[in-house]
Amino acid sequence: PASTDTSNLAQGDIVDVVDQANVFCYRSEEPVAPVEVVPFEYVGVGNCLNATGSSGRYYDYVEAGIKTFAECGSTCENFEAQKGFYIVEDTSCNCLFESGTTIADQTVVVPPSISGGIGDISSSDFTEDGHCYLG
């Protein structure tokens, strides 16, 4: 095609943006972790989702209390079946598990909406103030 008008595709680097109404330009970049938490992998801002088509599902979780990033990772790493964790620093830490997981001596919370997280964490929903890490 002679232009992006016919193909809706573009190639190359973004070098400038012209300020026009209803035109938005985004640069694709890998999410950057606010804090590296070994051995976890940073996924992105917001709640953790599994790969279920275009709309993921939220994971069941155990509330681990108010923690720093490192403390949250250390706490959640101790759970054998964990899939990762979701944290709002100095506010809450949730260790994530597949839907239906039971853990001795722990209350596993089922999310009130779009529950059913199965398999590995694949993305985040870019909402809320928290951060998603893959276990």
Side-chain angles (χ1 to χ4, degrees):
S3 74
T4 59
D5 292 333
T6 55
S7 70
N8 200 30
L9 299 174
Q11 294 181 343
D13 294 329
I14 298 170
V15 293
D16 192 20
V17 178
V18 177
D19 187 21
Q20 294 183 7
N22 299 323
V23 176
F24 302 97
C25 186
Y26 298 93
R27 184 183 319 269
S28 178
E29 294 182 351
E30 291 294 319
V32 177
V35 175
E36 186 177 343
V37 182
V38 176
F40 295 88
E41 178 184 333
Y42 185 67
V43 175
V45 174
N47 293 292
C48 301
L49 299 173
N50 73 338
T52 319
S54 60
S55 61
R57 300 281 178 189
Y58 296 132
Y59 291 84
D60 294 358
Y61 60 93
V62 169
E63 295 174 336
I66 298 171
K67 309 271 186 199
T68 65
F69 284 90
E71 291 168 338
C72 186
S74 178
T75 299
C76 294
E77 189 177 16
N78 290 324
F79 290 107
E80 187 174 310
Q82 58 83 15
K83 303 307 284 182
F85 67 89
Y86 169 77
I87 182 172
V88 178
E89 187 176 27
D90 298 329
T91 301
S92 66
C93 166
N94 294 333
C95 303
L96 306 177
F97 301 89
E98 286 191 346
S99 181
T101 300
T102 57
I103 301 164
D105 302 322
Q106 296 289 329
T107 300
V108 178
V109 179
V110 176
S113 64
I114 61 171
S115 62
I118 299 290
D120 288 337
I121 295 167
S122 64
S123 64
S124 63
D125 65 6
F126 300 101
T127 62
E128 312 277 332
D129 295 326
H131 298 274
C132 172
Y133 285 80
L134 169 65

Coordinates of all heavy atoms in Angstrom, one line a residue, residues 19-71:
D19 N 0.1 17.7 17.2 CA -1.0 17.8 18.1 C -2.3 18.1 17.3 O -2.6 19.1 16.8 CB -0.8 19.0 19.0 CG -1.8 19.1 20.2 OD1 -2.5 18.1 20.4 OD2 -1.9 20.2 20.7
Q20 N -3.2 17.0 17.3 CA -4.5 17.1 16.6 C -5.5 16.4 17.5 O -5.2 15.5 18.2 CB -4.4 16.4 15.2 CG -3.5 17.1 14.2 CD -3.6 16.4 12.9 OE1 -4.4 15.5 12.7 NE2 -2.7 16.8 12.0
A21 N -6.7 16.9 17.4 CA -7.8 16.3 18.2 C -8.1 14.9 17.7 O -8.0 14.6 16.5 CB -9.1 17.1 18.0
N22 N -8.3 14.0 18.6 CA -8.7 12.6 18.4 C -7.6 11.8 17.7 O -7.8 10.8 17.1 CB -10.0 12.5 17.5 CG -11.1 13.1 18.2 OD1 -11.3 13.0 19.4 ND2 -12.0 13.8 17.5
V23 N -6.3 12.2 17.8 CA -5.2 11.5 17.3 C -4.3 11.2 18.5 O -3.8 12.1 19.2 CB -4.4 12.3 16.2 CG1 -3.2 11.5 15.8 CG2 -5.3 12.6 15.0
F24 N -4.0 9.9 18.7 CA -3.2 9.5 19.8 C -2.1 8.6 19.3 O -2.3 7.8 18.5 CB -4.0 8.8 20.9 CG -5.1 9.6 21.4 CD1 -6.4 9.4 20.9 CD2 -4.9 10.5 22.4 CE1 -7.5 10.2 21.4 CE2 -6.0 11.3 22.9 CZ -7.2 11.2 22.4
C25 N -0.9 8.8 19.8 CA 0.2 8.0 19.4 C 0.9 7.4 20.6 O 1.1 8.1 21.6 CB 1.2 9.0 18.7 SG 2.6 8.1 18.0
Y26 N 1.2 6.1 20.6 CA 1.8 5.4 21.7 C 3.0 4.7 21.2 O 3.0 4.1 20.1 CB 0.8 4.3 22.2 CG -0.5 5.0 22.8 CD1 -1.6 5.1 22.0 CD2 -0.5 5.4 24.1 CE1 -2.8 5.7 22.5 CE2 -1.7 6.0 24.6 CZ -2.8 6.1 23.8 OH -3.9 6.7 24.3
R27 N 4.0 4.7 22.0 CA 5.3 4.0 21.7 C 5.2 2.7 22.5 O 4.9 2.6 23.7 CB 6.5 4.8 22.2 CG 7.8 4.2 21.9 CD 9.0 5.0 22.5 NE 8.8 6.4 22.3 CZ 9.2 7.1 21.3 NH1 9.8 6.5 20.3 NH2 9.1 8.4 21.2
S28 N 5.4 1.6 21.8 CA 5.4 0.3 22.4 C 6.7 0.0 23.2 O 7.8 0.1 22.6 CB 5.2 -0.8 21.3 OG 5.2 -2.1 21.9
E29 N 6.6 -0.3 24.5 CA 7.7 -0.5 25.3 C 7.4 -1.6 26.3 O 6.3 -1.8 26.7 CB 8.2 0.7 26.1 CG 8.7 1.8 25.2 CD 9.2 3.0 26.0 OE1 9.0 3.1 27.2 OE2 9.8 3.9 25.4
E30 N 8.4 -2.4 26.7 CA 8.2 -3.4 27.7 C 8.0 -2.6 29.1 O 8.6 -1.6 29.3 CB 9.5 -4.2 27.9 CG 9.7 -5.1 26.7 CD 8.7 -6.2 26.6 OE1 8.3 -6.8 27.6 OE2 8.2 -6.4 25.4
P31 N 7.1 -3.2 29.9 CA 6.9 -2.5 31.2 C 8.2 -2.6 32.1 O 8.9 -3.6 32.0 CB 5.8 -3.4 31.8 CG 5.7 -4.6 31.0 CD 6.3 -4.4 29.7
V32 N 8.4 -1.6 32.8 CA 9.6 -1.5 33.7 C 9.1 -1.7 35.1 O 8.2 -1.0 35.6 CB 10.3 -0.1 33.5 CG1 11.5 0.0 34.5 CG2 10.7 0.1 32.1
A33 N 9.7 -2.6 35.8 CA 9.4 -2.9 37.2 C 9.8 -1.8 38.1 O 10.9 -1.2 38.0 CB 10.1 -4.2 37.6
P34 N 8.9 -1.4 39.0 CA 9.3 -0.3 40.0 C 10.4 -0.8 40.9 O 11.3 -0.1 41.3 CB 8.0 -0.1 40.7 CG 7.1 -1.2 40.5 CD 7.5 -1.8 39.2
V35 N 10.4 -2.2 41.2 CA 11.4 -2.8 42.0 C 11.6 -4.2 41.4 O 10.6 -4.9 41.1 CB 11.0 -2.9 43.4 CG1 12.0 -3.7 44.3 CG2 10.7 -1.5 44.0
E36 N 12.8 -4.6 41.2 CA 13.1 -6.0 40.8 C 13.0 -6.9 42.0 O 13.5 -6.6 43.0 CB 14.5 -6.1 40.2 CG 14.8 -7.5 39.6 CD 16.1 -7.6 38.9 OE1 16.8 -6.6 38.7 OE2 16.6 -8.7 38.7
V37 N 12.2 -8.0 41.8 CA 11.9 -8.9 42.9 C 12.3 -10.3 42.4 O 11.6 -10.9 41.6 CB 10.5 -8.9 43.3 CG1 10.3 -9.9 44.5 CG2 10.0 -7.5 43.7
V38 N 13.5 -10.8 42.7 CA 14.0 -12.1 42.3 C 13.4 -13.2 43.2 O 13.2 -13.0 44.4 CB 15.6 -12.1 42.5 CG1 16.1 -13.5 42.1 CG2 16.2 -11.1 41.6
P39 N 12.9 -14.2 42.6 CA 13.0 -14.7 41.2 C 11.7 -14.4 40.4 O 11.5 -15.1 39.4 CB 13.0 -16.2 41.4 CG 12.1 -16.5 42.6 CD 12.3 -15.3 43.5
F40 N 11.0 -13.4 40.7 CA 9.7 -13.1 40.0 C 10.0 -12.2 38.8 O 11.0 -11.5 38.7 CB 8.7 -12.4 41.0 CG 8.3 -13.2 42.1 CD1 8.9 -13.3 43.3 CD2 7.1 -14.0 41.9 CE1 8.5 -14.1 44.3 CE2 6.6 -14.8 42.9 CZ 7.3 -14.9 44.1
E41 N 9.1 -12.3 37.8 CA 9.2 -11.5 36.6 C 8.1 -10.4 36.6 O 6.9 -10.8 36.8 CB 9.1 -12.4 35.4 CG 9.1 -11.6 34.1 CD 8.9 -12.6 32.9 OE1 9.2 -13.8 33.0 OE2 8.4 -12.1 31.9
Y42 N 8.5 -9.2 36.4 CA 7.5 -8.1 36.4 C 6.6 -8.2 35.1 O 7.1 -8.4 34.0 CB 8.1 -6.7 36.4 CG 7.2 -5.6 36.5 CD1 6.4 -5.4 37.7 CD2 7.0 -4.7 35.5 CE1 5.5 -4.3 37.8 CE2 6.1 -3.6 35.6 CZ 5.4 -3.5 36.7 OH 4.5 -2.4 36.8
V43 N 5.3 -8.1 35.3 CA 4.3 -8.2 34.2 C 3.8 -6.8 33.8 O 3.8 -6.5 32.6 CB 3.2 -9.2 34.5 CG1 2.1 -9.2 33.4 CG2 3.7 -10.6 34.8
G44 N 3.4 -6.0 34.8 CA 2.9 -4.7 34.5 C 2.0 -4.1 35.6 O 1.8 -4.8 36.7
V45 N 1.5 -3.0 35.3 CA 0.6 -2.3 36.3 C -0.8 -2.9 36.3 O -1.3 -3.3 35.3 CB 0.5 -0.8 35.9 CG1 -0.5 0.0 36.8 CG2 1.9 -0.1 35.9
G46 N -1.3 -3.0 37.5 CA -2.7 -3.5 37.6 C -2.8 -5.0 38.0 O -1.8 -5.6 38.3
N47 N -4.0 -5.5 38.1 CA -4.2 -6.9 38.5 C -3.7 -7.8 37.4 O -3.7 -7.6 36.2 CB -5.8 -7.1 38.6 CG -6.3 -6.3 39.7 OD1 -6.1 -6.6 40.9 ND2 -7.1 -5.3 39.4
C48 N -3.2 -9.0 37.9 CA -2.7 -10.0 37.1 C -3.8 -10.8 36.4 O -4.8 -11.1 37.0 CB -1.9 -11.0 37.9 SG -0.5 -10.3 38.8
L49 N -3.6 -11.1 35.1 CA -4.6 -11.9 34.3 C -4.0 -13.1 33.7 O -2.8 -13.1 33.4 CB -5.2 -11.0 33.2 CG -5.9 -9.7 33.6 CD1 -6.2 -8.9 32.4 CD2 -7.1 -10.0 34.4
N50 N -4.8 -14.1 33.5 CA -4.3 -15.3 32.7 C -4.7 -15.1 31.2 O -5.2 -14.0 30.9 CB -5.0 -16.6 33.3 CG -6.4 -16.7 32.9 OD1 -7.1 -15.8 32.6 ND2 -6.9 -18.0 33.0
A51 N -4.3 -16.0 30.4 CA -4.5 -15.9 29.0 C -5.8 -16.6 28.6 O -5.8 -17.7 28.3 CB -3.3 -16.5 28.2
T52 N -6.9 -15.8 28.6 CA -8.2 -16.4 28.2 C -8.8 -15.5 27.1 O -9.6 -14.7 27.4 CB -9.2 -16.5 29.4 OG1 -8.5 -16.9 30.6 CG2 -10.3 -17.4 29.1
G53 N -8.3 -15.6 26.0 CA -8.8 -14.8 24.9 C -8.4 -13.3 25.1 O -7.4 -13.0 25.7
S54 N -9.4 -12.5 24.8 CA -9.1 -11.0 24.9 C -9.4 -10.5 26.3 O -8.9 -9.5 26.7 CB -10.0 -10.2 23.9 OG -11.3 -10.5 24.2
S55 N -10.1 -11.3 27.1 CA -10.4 -10.8 28.5 C -9.9 -11.9 29.5 O -10.5 -13.0 29.5 CB -11.9 -10.6 28.7 OG -12.6 -11.7 28.5
G56 N -8.8 -11.6 30.2 CA -8.3 -12.6 31.1 C -9.1 -12.8 32.3 O -10.2 -12.1 32.5
R57 N -8.7 -13.6 33.2 CA -9.4 -13.9 34.4 C -8.5 -13.6 35.6 O -7.3 -13.8 35.5 CB -9.9 -15.4 34.5 CG -10.8 -15.8 33.4 CD -12.2 -15.3 33.7 NE -13.1 -15.7 32.6 CZ -14.3 -15.3 32.5 NH1 -14.8 -14.5 33.5 NH2 -15.1 -15.6 31.5
Y58 N -9.1 -13.2 36.7 CA -8.3 -12.9 37.9 C -8.1 -14.2 38.7 O -8.9 -15.1 38.7 CB -9.1 -11.9 38.8 CG -9.3 -10.5 38.2 CD1 -10.5 -9.9 38.3 CD2 -8.2 -9.9 37.6 CE1 -10.7 -8.7 37.7 CE2 -8.4 -8.6 37.1 CZ -9.6 -8.0 37.1 OH -9.8 -6.8 36.6
Y59 N -7.0 -14.2 39.4 CA -6.5 -15.4 40.2 C -7.1 -15.3 41.6 O -7.3 -14.2 42.2 CB -5.0 -15.4 40.3 CG -4.4 -15.8 39.0 CD1 -4.1 -14.8 38.0 CD2 -4.1 -17.1 38.7 CE1 -3.6 -15.1 36.8 CE2 -3.5 -17.4 37.5 CZ -3.3 -16.5 36.5 OH -2.7 -16.8 35.3
D60 N -7.3 -16.5 42.2 CA -7.6 -16.5 43.7 C -6.4 -16.0 44.4 O -5.3 -16.1 43.9 CB -8.0 -17.9 44.1 CG -9.3 -18.5 43.5 OD1 -9.9 -17.7 42.7 OD2 -9.6 -19.6 43.7
Y61 N -6.5 -15.6 45.6 CA -5.3 -15.1 46.3 C -5.4 -15.2 47.9 O -6.5 -15.4 48.4 CB -5.1 -13.6 46.0 CG -6.3 -12.7 46.4 CD1 -6.3 -12.0 47.6 CD2 -7.3 -12.4 45.5 CE1 -7.4 -11.2 48.0 CE2 -8.4 -11.6 45.8 CZ -8.4 -11.0 47.1 OH -9.4 -10.1 47.4
V62 N -4.3 -15.2 48.5 CA -4.1 -15.2 49.9 C -3.6 -13.8 50.3 O -2.6 -13.3 49.7 CB -3.1 -16.2 50.4 CG1 -2.8 -16.0 51.9 CG2 -3.7 -17.6 50.2
E63 N -4.3 -13.1 51.2 CA -3.9 -11.8 51.6 C -2.7 -11.9 52.5 O -2.8 -12.6 53.6 CB -5.0 -11.0 52.3 CG -6.2 -10.8 51.4 CD -7.4 -10.2 52.1 OE1 -7.5 -10.4 53.3 OE2 -8.2 -9.5 51.4
A64 N -1.6 -11.3 52.2 CA -0.3 -11.5 52.9 C 0.0 -10.3 53.8 O 1.1 -10.2 54.4 CB 0.8 -11.8 52.0
G65 N -0.9 -9.3 53.8 CA -0.7 -8.1 54.7 C 0.0 -7.0 54.0 O 0.2 -7.0 52.8
I66 N 0.4 -6.0 54.8 CA 1.1 -4.9 54.2 C 2.6 -5.2 54.1 O 3.2 -5.5 55.1 CB 0.8 -3.6 55.1 CG1 -0.7 -3.3 55.2 CG2 1.6 -2.4 54.7 CD1 -1.1 -2.3 56.2
K67 N 3.1 -5.1 52.9 CA 4.5 -5.5 52.7 C 5.2 -4.5 51.7 O 4.5 -3.8 50.9 CB 4.5 -6.9 52.0 CG 3.7 -7.9 52.8 CD 4.6 -8.6 53.8 CE 3.8 -9.8 54.4 NZ 4.4 -10.2 55.6
T68 N 6.5 -4.5 51.7 CA 7.3 -3.9 50.6 C 7.3 -4.9 49.5 O 6.9 -6.1 49.6 CB 8.7 -3.6 51.1 OG1 9.4 -4.9 51.4 CG2 8.7 -2.7 52.3
F69 N 7.8 -4.5 48.4 CA 8.0 -5.4 47.2 C 8.8 -6.7 47.6 O 8.3 -7.8 47.3 CB 8.6 -4.7 46.0 CG 7.8 -3.7 45.3 CD1 7.7 -2.4 45.7 CD2 7.0 -4.2 44.2 CE1 6.9 -1.5 45.0 CE2 6.2 -3.3 43.5 CZ 6.1 -2.0 43.9
A70 N 9.9 -6.5 48.2 CA 10.8 -7.6 48.6 C 10.1 -8.5 49.6 O 10.2 -9.7 49.5 CB 12.1 -7.1 49.1
E71 N 9.4 -7.9 50.6 CA 8.7 -8.8 51.6 C 7.6 -9.5 51.0 O 7.4 -10.7 51.3 CB 8.2 -7.9 52.7 CG 9.3 -7.3 53.6 CD 8.7 -6.2 54.5 OE1 7.6 -5.6 54.2 OE2 9.4 -5.9 55.5

